[in-house]
Amino acid sequence: MFLAHIAVVFGALYSVYAFPSSVQKRAVDFFNPVTTGGSMLDNAGSGGGEPLNVIISGLSSPAVLTDDGIINYAKAIRFSTECLGQHLGDPQSANLGDGNGPVNQTVELREDFGDPNLGTCLESLIGGNHFRIFRQNGPTANSGALFLAVSKEEDLSQQHTIVPDGYNIGRNELVNNALGTTSFGGVSYTTVAKNITGLLAPGSTGVNHGIATDGITTLLVVTIN
């Protein structure tokens, strides 16, 4: 009886302490980067930053938050990897206040116009929506959340600069694609959204290209069905 009691206690302690990062990762939607020295603007390398205007919650299904998982989810909402795997331009970085400091984007995904294999080649030519992903997983703020810098850009002849009001437009288009039930590759998702104010300051201060934003960040919680 005594040994059985000890086993129960040990098992309880093991479940609490053996996997602290996974427990913490599932505890919150995200941590506000600004409160721990980070920023809700990434570093675009031109003296300004792109707003991190969509967050995929750390409370989403864990498989969604992996590298492969977010790419499959992106394909379910009409985005895909870059044309023939080729990327033009330098990666951008972001400091999410998680103790990792500035970290380069995990991946950049582009609108695929319904063709996940070659559609992003069309986006590279005529412009469209795209986003960069940054993961909050450092030692001081390990939410596992994915912070997205979403924007709509001009065509190749305009060097892919952001369209007027392109940060708000890009965010809204992505969210509209994501809401409700979507699927790709045999995986079905349900996405709900909530708009948050107070993370990003409205206006154009510090924003790349001087394009003003409305200050709204949209939080997405994505659940695999």
Side-chain angles (χ1 to χ4, degrees):
M1 194 69 176
F2 175 77
L3 291 177
H5 177 72
I6 292 296
V8 170
V9 172
F10 181 81
L13 290 173
Y14 184 81
S15 67
V16 171
Y17 293 110
F19 307 105
S21 60
S22 63
V23 172
Q24 183 185 18
K25 190 172 183 179
R26 297 288 297 167
V28 296
D29 288 309
F30 64 93
F31 294 105
N32 183 352
V34 177
T35 61
T36 47
S39 175
M40 284 296 292
L41 297 174
D42 73 8
N43 182 353
S46 58
E50 297 190 346
L52 302 174
N53 48 10
V54 173
I55 300 172
I56 298 182
S57 167
L59 299 179
S60 299
S61 294
V64 174
L65 302 174
T66 66
D67 289 354
D68 290 341
I70 189 57
I71 289 174
N72 196 79
Y73 176 67
K75 290 178 179 179
I77 63 172
R78 300 176 64 85
F79 290 84
S80 191
T81 51
E82 295 194 88
C83 177
L84 304 178
Q86 300 300 307
H87 174 69
L88 298 178
D90 295 328
Q92 297 183 9
S93 64
N95 182 349
L96 298 182
D98 60 1
N100 283 335
V103 176
N104 283 349
Q105 64 199 43
T106 299
V107 68
E108 185 171 350
L109 300 169
R110 298 183 181 278
E111 187 175 358
D112 68 13
F113 299 98
D115 182 347
N117 296 314
L118 295 174
T120 57
C121 296
L122 180 61
E123 194 278 342
S124 294
L125 291 174
I126 69 171
N129 212 356
H130 75 308
F131 63 93
R132 307 169 194 273
I133 300 176
F134 304 91
R135 179 177 283 109
Q136 188 177 58
N137 64 349
T140 59
N142 184 16
S143 69
L146 303 177
F147 287 65
L148 313 185
V150 191
S151 57
K152 189 162 188 175
E153 60 184 7
E154 303 278 10
D155 62 25
L156 183 59
S157 69
Q158 299 298 316
Q159 289 77 49
H160 288 168
T161 190
I162 308 302
V163 304
D165 200 31
Y167 297 117
N168 294 335
I169 292 172
R171 177 201 63 213
N172 292 343
E173 288 187 357
L174 182 149
V175 171
N176 287 337
N177 286 353
L179 285 175
T181 300
T182 57
S183 63
F184 186 85
V187 183
S188 176
Y189 307 92
T190 297
T191 302
V192 296
K194 178 174 70 173
N195 287 339
I196 300 173
T197 58
L199 294 174
L200 282 165
S204 61
T205 301
V207 179
N208 200 30
H209 305 297
I211 297 173
T213 77
D214 56 16
I216 293 173
T217 301
T218 301
L219 178 70
L220 302 180
V221 181
V222 183
T223 304
I224 294 177
N225 299 325

mmCIF file of all heavy atoms in Angstrom, residues 139-172:
data_model
loop_
_atom_site.group_PDB
_atom_site.id
_atom_site.type_symbol
_atom_site.label_atom_id
_atom_site.label_comp_id
_atom_site.label_asym_id
_atom_site.label_seq_id
_atom_site.Cartn_x
_atom_site.Cartn_y
_atom_site.Cartn_z
ATOM 1 N N PRO A 139 12.841 31.104 -24.058
ATOM 2 C CA PRO A 139 12.788 30.636 -22.673
ATOM 3 C C PRO A 139 11.951 31.500 -21.739
ATOM 4 O O PRO A 139 11.497 31.021 -20.702
ATOM 5 C CB PRO A 139 14.264 30.645 -22.253
ATOM 6 C CG PRO A 139 14.922 31.636 -23.165
ATOM 7 C CD PRO A 139 14.205 31.519 -24.465
ATOM 8 N N THR A 140 11.721 32.763 -22.087
ATOM 9 C CA THR A 140 10.973 33.636 -21.179
ATOM 10 C C THR A 140 9.518 33.843 -21.598
ATOM 11 O O THR A 140 8.751 34.446 -20.842
ATOM 12 C CB THR A 140 11.661 35.012 -21.068
ATOM 13 O OG1 THR A 140 11.729 35.616 -22.370
ATOM 14 C CG2 THR A 140 13.068 34.871 -20.508
ATOM 15 N N ALA A 141 9.132 33.357 -22.768
ATOM 16 C CA ALA A 141 7.744 33.528 -23.231
ATOM 17 C C ALA A 141 7.436 32.453 -24.261
ATOM 18 O O ALA A 141 7.285 32.723 -25.445
ATOM 19 C CB ALA A 141 7.526 34.922 -23.816
ATOM 20 N N ASN A 142 7.333 31.232 -23.804
ATOM 21 C CA ASN A 142 7.169 30.096 -24.712
ATOM 22 C C ASN A 142 5.691 29.770 -24.907
ATOM 23 O O ASN A 142 5.178 28.773 -24.410
ATOM 24 C CB ASN A 142 7.920 28.881 -24.160
ATOM 25 C CG ASN A 142 7.881 27.700 -25.100
ATOM 26 O OD1 ASN A 142 7.556 27.835 -26.268
ATOM 27 N ND2 ASN A 142 8.208 26.530 -24.584
ATOM 28 N N SER A 143 5.026 30.626 -25.669
ATOM 29 C CA SER A 143 3.600 30.372 -25.949
ATOM 30 C C SER A 143 3.414 29.404 -27.101
ATOM 31 O O SER A 143 2.356 28.785 -27.226
ATOM 32 C CB SER A 143 2.886 31.686 -26.275
ATOM 33 O OG SER A 143 3.320 32.192 -27.527
ATOM 34 N N GLY A 144 4.397 29.312 -27.981
ATOM 35 C CA GLY A 144 4.245 28.527 -29.198
ATOM 36 C C GLY A 144 3.432 29.224 -30.268
ATOM 37 O O GLY A 144 3.256 28.686 -31.370
ATOM 38 N N ALA A 145 2.930 30.427 -29.980
ATOM 39 C CA ALA A 145 2.106 31.160 -30.937
ATOM 40 C C ALA A 145 2.922 31.555 -32.163
ATOM 41 O O ALA A 145 4.141 31.745 -32.099
ATOM 42 C CB ALA A 145 1.513 32.403 -30.285
ATOM 43 N N LEU A 146 2.232 31.697 -33.286
ATOM 44 C CA LEU A 146 2.845 32.148 -34.527
ATOM 45 C C LEU A 146 2.374 33.566 -34.823
ATOM 46 O O LEU A 146 1.173 33.826 -34.909
ATOM 47 C CB LEU A 146 2.464 31.217 -35.677
ATOM 48 C CG LEU A 146 2.816 29.741 -35.486
ATOM 49 C CD1 LEU A 146 2.324 28.925 -36.675
ATOM 50 C CD2 LEU A 146 4.310 29.538 -35.272
ATOM 51 N N PHE A 147 3.322 34.475 -34.951
ATOM 52 C CA PHE A 147 3.029 35.873 -35.263
ATOM 53 C C PHE A 147 3.234 36.070 -36.765
ATOM 54 O O PHE A 147 4.302 35.756 -37.299
ATOM 55 C CB PHE A 147 3.937 36.803 -34.475
ATOM 56 C CG PHE A 147 3.615 36.914 -33.012
ATOM 57 C CD1 PHE A 147 3.732 35.821 -32.163
ATOM 58 C CD2 PHE A 147 3.198 38.127 -32.471
ATOM 59 C CE1 PHE A 147 3.428 35.925 -30.808
ATOM 60 C CE2 PHE A 147 2.896 38.248 -31.119
ATOM 61 C CZ PHE A 147 3.011 37.142 -30.292
ATOM 62 N N LEU A 148 2.224 36.601 -37.436
ATOM 63 C CA LEU A 148 2.269 36.763 -38.879
ATOM 64 C C LEU A 148 2.321 38.239 -39.253
ATOM 65 O O LEU A 148 1.556 39.050 -38.713
ATOM 66 C CB LEU A 148 1.041 36.139 -39.547
ATOM 67 C CG LEU A 148 0.617 34.728 -39.122
ATOM 68 C CD1 LEU A 148 -0.546 34.264 -39.982
ATOM 69 C CD2 LEU A 148 1.763 33.756 -39.190
ATOM 70 N N ALA A 149 3.215 38.566 -40.169
ATOM 71 C CA ALA A 149 3.237 39.898 -40.779
ATOM 72 C C ALA A 149 2.583 39.746 -42.145
ATOM 73 O O ALA A 149 3.188 39.221 -43.087
ATOM 74 C CB ALA A 149 4.665 40.403 -40.915
ATOM 75 N N VAL A 150 1.336 40.202 -42.254
ATOM 76 C CA VAL A 150 0.532 39.977 -43.454
ATOM 77 C C VAL A 150 0.383 41.287 -44.219
ATOM 78 O O VAL A 150 0.094 42.334 -43.624
ATOM 79 C CB VAL A 150 -0.872 39.441 -43.100
ATOM 80 C CG1 VAL A 150 -1.595 38.965 -44.352
ATOM 81 C CG2 VAL A 150 -0.787 38.315 -42.071
ATOM 82 N N SER A 151 0.550 41.221 -45.522
ATOM 83 C CA SER A 151 0.355 42.426 -46.330
ATOM 84 C C SER A 151 0.051 42.057 -47.771
ATOM 85 O O SER A 151 0.405 40.962 -48.238
ATOM 86 C CB SER A 151 1.595 43.326 -46.286
ATOM 87 O OG SER A 151 2.745 42.626 -46.730
ATOM 88 N N LYS A 152 -0.609 42.960 -48.465
ATOM 89 C CA LYS A 152 -0.896 42.779 -49.885
ATOM 90 C C LYS A 152 0.077 43.629 -50.680
ATOM 91 O O LYS A 152 0.262 44.813 -50.382
ATOM 92 C CB LYS A 152 -2.343 43.164 -50.204
ATOM 93 C CG LYS A 152 -2.762 42.788 -51.618
ATOM 94 C CD LYS A 152 -4.269 42.758 -51.772
ATOM 95 C CE LYS A 152 -4.646 42.192 -53.138
ATOM 96 N NZ LYS A 152 -6.114 42.028 -53.277
ATOM 97 N N GLU A 153 0.689 43.028 -51.711
ATOM 98 C CA GLU A 153 1.758 43.724 -52.426
ATOM 99 C C GLU A 153 1.427 43.921 -53.896
ATOM 100 O O GLU A 153 0.584 43.237 -54.466
ATOM 101 C CB GLU A 153 3.067 42.947 -52.272
ATOM 102 C CG GLU A 153 3.036 41.530 -52.819
ATOM 103 C CD GLU A 153 4.319 40.772 -52.558
ATOM 104 O OE1 GLU A 153 5.194 41.287 -51.845
ATOM 105 O OE2 GLU A 153 4.439 39.648 -53.081
ATOM 106 N N GLU A 154 2.169 44.888 -54.476
ATOM 107 C CA GLU A 154 2.031 45.198 -55.894
ATOM 108 C C GLU A 154 2.695 44.109 -56.741
ATOM 109 O O GLU A 154 3.302 43.173 -56.218
ATOM 110 C CB GLU A 154 2.684 46.560 -56.192
ATOM 111 C CG GLU A 154 2.140 47.727 -55.394
ATOM 112 C CD GLU A 154 0.866 48.317 -55.966
ATOM 113 O OE1 GLU A 154 0.285 47.699 -56.885
ATOM 114 O OE2 GLU A 154 0.454 49.392 -55.504
ATOM 115 N N ASP A 155 2.615 44.282 -58.058
ATOM 116 C CA ASP A 155 3.198 43.284 -58.956
ATOM 117 C C ASP A 155 4.713 43.455 -59.081
ATOM 118 O O ASP A 155 5.317 44.345 -58.467
ATOM 119 C CB ASP A 155 2.521 43.343 -60.331
ATOM 120 C CG ASP A 155 2.709 44.689 -61.036
ATOM 121 O OD1 ASP A 155 3.696 45.401 -60.744
ATOM 122 O OD2 ASP A 155 1.875 45.023 -61.896
ATOM 123 N N LEU A 156 5.320 42.593 -59.885
ATOM 124 C CA LEU A 156 6.776 42.568 -60.017
ATOM 125 C C LEU A 156 7.322 43.881 -60.559
ATOM 126 O O LEU A 156 8.399 44.330 -60.142
ATOM 127 C CB LEU A 156 7.182 41.415 -60.948
ATOM 128 C CG LEU A 156 8.676 41.176 -61.144
ATOM 129 C CD1 LEU A 156 9.358 40.876 -59.817
ATOM 130 C CD2 LEU A 156 8.899 40.037 -62.138
ATOM 131 N N SER A 157 6.586 44.537 -61.458
ATOM 132 C CA SER A 157 7.065 45.787 -62.035
ATOM 133 C C SER A 157 7.184 46.893 -60.989
ATOM 134 O O SER A 157 7.937 47.852 -61.172
ATOM 135 C CB SER A 157 6.138 46.250 -63.176
ATOM 136 O OG SER A 157 4.874 46.655 -62.655
ATOM 137 N N GLN A 158 6.448 46.753 -59.882
ATOM 138 C CA GLN A 158 6.503 47.729 -58.779
ATOM 139 C C GLN A 158 7.384 47.219 -57.629
ATOM 140 O O GLN A 158 7.320 47.751 -56.518
ATOM 141 C CB GLN A 158 5.092 47.999 -58.260
ATOM 142 C CG GLN A 158 4.144 48.573 -59.292
ATOM 143 C CD GLN A 158 4.593 49.923 -59.806
ATOM 144 O OE1 GLN A 158 5.000 50.781 -59.026
ATOM 145 N NE2 GLN A 158 4.551 50.116 -61.125
ATOM 146 N N GLN A 159 8.227 46.222 -57.925
ATOM 147 C CA GLN A 159 9.165 45.655 -56.940
ATOM 148 C C GLN A 159 8.459 45.147 -55.676
ATOM 149 O O GLN A 159 9.009 45.181 -54.582
ATOM 150 C CB GLN A 159 10.250 46.662 -56.554
ATOM 151 C CG GLN A 159 11.273 46.956 -57.633
ATOM 152 C CD GLN A 159 10.743 47.898 -58.702
ATOM 153 O OE1 GLN A 159 10.179 48.945 -58.404
ATOM 154 N NE2 GLN A 159 10.911 47.510 -59.952
ATOM 155 N N HIS A 160 7.219 44.694 -55.852
ATOM 156 C CA HIS A 160 6.472 44.095 -54.748
ATOM 157 C C HIS A 160 6.312 45.026 -53.549
ATOM 158 O O HIS A 160 6.202 44.584 -52.413
ATOM 159 C CB HIS A 160 7.126 42.781 -54.283
ATOM 160 C CG HIS A 160 6.952 41.667 -55.257
ATOM 161 N ND1 HIS A 160 7.654 40.492 -55.164
ATOM 162 C CD2 HIS A 160 6.152 41.536 -56.358
ATOM 163 C CE1 HIS A 160 7.320 39.684 -56.176
ATOM 164 N NE2 HIS A 160 6.407 40.301 -56.900
ATOM 165 N N THR A 161 6.281 46.328 -53.783
ATOM 166 C CA THR A 161 5.999 47.246 -52.685
ATOM 167 C C THR A 161 4.567 47.026 -52.201
ATOM 168 O O THR A 161 3.741 46.423 -52.902
ATOM 169 C CB THR A 161 6.212 48.699 -53.124
ATOM 170 O OG1 THR A 161 6.160 49.558 -51.973
ATOM 171 C CG2 THR A 161 5.152 49.150 -54.124
ATOM 172 N N ILE A 162 4.263 47.488 -51.007
ATOM 173 C CA ILE A 162 2.942 47.247 -50.417
ATOM 174 C C ILE A 162 1.914 48.187 -51.044
ATOM 175 O O ILE A 162 2.181 49.383 -51.235
ATOM 176 C CB ILE A 162 2.989 47.436 -48.892
ATOM 177 C CG1 ILE A 162 4.119 46.600 -48.277
ATOM 178 C CG2 ILE A 162 1.650 47.069 -48.255
ATOM 179 C CD1 ILE A 162 4.033 45.123 -48.555
ATOM 180 N N VAL A 163 0.726 47.662 -51.352
ATOM 181 C CA VAL A 163 -0.330 48.497 -51.909
ATOM 182 C C VAL A 163 -0.821 49.478 -50.839
ATOM 183 O O VAL A 163 -0.624 49.251 -49.648
ATOM 184 C CB VAL A 163 -1.514 47.646 -52.421
ATOM 185 C CG1 VAL A 163 -1.049 46.611 -53.440
ATOM 186 C CG2 VAL A 163 -2.249 46.976 -51.274
ATOM 187 N N PRO A 164 -1.449 50.588 -51.240
ATOM 188 C CA PRO A 164 -2.020 51.496 -50.246
ATOM 189 C C PRO A 164 -2.971 50.745 -49.309
ATOM 190 O O PRO A 164 -3.802 49.956 -49.756
ATOM 191 C CB PRO A 164 -2.766 52.527 -51.112
ATOM 192 C CG PRO A 164 -2.026 52.521 -52.419
ATOM 193 C CD PRO A 164 -1.606 51.098 -52.626
ATOM 194 N N ASP A 165 -2.821 50.990 -48.012
ATOM 195 C CA ASP A 165 -3.600 50.300 -46.975
ATOM 196 C C ASP A 165 -3.362 48.792 -47.004
ATOM 197 O O ASP A 165 -4.187 48.002 -46.536
ATOM 198 C CB ASP A 165 -5.094 50.606 -47.121
ATOM 199 C CG ASP A 165 -5.884 50.332 -45.833
ATOM 200 O OD1 ASP A 165 -5.305 50.480 -44.740
ATOM 201 O OD2 ASP A 165 -7.055 49.933 -45.930
ATOM 202 N N GLY A 166 -2.204 48.387 -47.502
ATOM 203 C CA GLY A 166 -1.954 46.974 -47.760
ATOM 204 C C GLY A 166 -1.827 46.098 -46.532
ATOM 205 O O GLY A 166 -2.063 44.884 -46.624
ATOM 206 N N TYR A 167 -1.469 46.675 -45.370
ATOM 207 C CA TYR A 167 -1.373 45.852 -44.160
ATOM 208 C C TYR A 167 -2.759 45.477 -43.646
ATOM 209 O O TYR A 167 -3.018 44.317 -43.301
ATOM 210 C CB TYR A 167 -0.566 46.577 -43.079
ATOM 211 C CG TYR A 167 0.866 46.832 -43.502
ATOM 212 C CD1 TYR A 167 1.358 48.127 -43.634
ATOM 213 C CD2 TYR A 167 1.721 45.774 -43.785
ATOM 214 C CE1 TYR A 167 2.665 48.363 -44.034
ATOM 215 C CE2 TYR A 167 3.039 46.003 -44.185
ATOM 216 C CZ TYR A 167 3.499 47.302 -44.306
ATOM 217 O OH TYR A 167 4.798 47.525 -44.709
ATOM 218 N N ASN A 168 -3.662 46.455 -43.619
ATOM 219 C CA ASN A 168 -5.031 46.156 -43.201
ATOM 220 C C ASN A 168 -5.726 45.230 -44.202
ATOM 221 O O ASN A 168 -6.420 44.273 -43.812
ATOM 222 C CB ASN A 168 -5.847 47.440 -43.063
ATOM 223 C CG ASN A 168 -5.353 48.338 -41.942
ATOM 224 O OD1 ASN A 168 -4.738 47.878 -40.990
ATOM 225 N ND2 ASN A 168 -5.623 49.633 -42.067
ATOM 226 N N ILE A 169 -5.546 45.512 -45.501
ATOM 227 C CA ILE A 169 -6.193 44.703 -46.536
ATOM 228 C C ILE A 169 -5.683 43.262 -46.477
ATOM 229 O O ILE A 169 -6.469 42.306 -46.521
ATOM 230 C CB ILE A 169 -5.935 45.306 -47.933
ATOM 231 C CG1 ILE A 169 -6.675 46.646 -48.079
ATOM 232 C CG2 ILE A 169 -6.384 44.333 -49.029
ATOM 233 C CD1 ILE A 169 -6.324 47.400 -49.353
ATOM 234 N N GLY A 170 -4.369 43.105 -46.363
ATOM 235 C CA GLY A 170 -3.795 41.763 -46.321
ATOM 236 C C GLY A 170 -4.300 40.964 -45.141
ATOM 237 O O GLY A 170 -4.676 39.788 -45.283
ATOM 238 N N ARG A 171 -4.332 41.596 -43.971
ATOM 239 C CA ARG A 171 -4.850 40.921 -42.774
ATOM 240 C C ARG A 171 -6.296 40.491 -42.973
ATOM 241 O O ARG A 171 -6.657 39.340 -42.696
ATOM 242 C CB ARG A 171 -4.752 41.869 -41.578
ATOM 243 C CG ARG A 171 -5.335 41.324 -40.268
ATOM 244 C CD ARG A 171 -5.662 42.475 -39.324
ATOM 245 N NE ARG A 171 -6.679 43.343 -39.882
ATOM 246 C CZ ARG A 171 -6.730 44.657 -39.671
ATOM 247 N NH1 ARG A 171 -5.850 45.265 -38.895
ATOM 248 N NH2 ARG A 171 -7.690 45.378 -40.223
ATOM 249 N N ASN A 172 -7.106 41.409 -43.451
ATOM 250 C CA ASN A 172 -8.534 41.101 -43.590
ATOM 251 C C ASN A 172 -8.784 39.988 -44.597
ATOM 252 O O ASN A 172 -9.651 39.129 -44.387
ATOM 253 C CB ASN A 172 -9.304 42.363 -43.991
ATOM 254 C CG ASN A 172 -9.336 43.402 -42.885
ATOM 255 O OD1 ASN A 172 -9.061 43.097 -41.725
ATOM 256 N ND2 ASN A 172 -9.658 44.639 -43.240
#
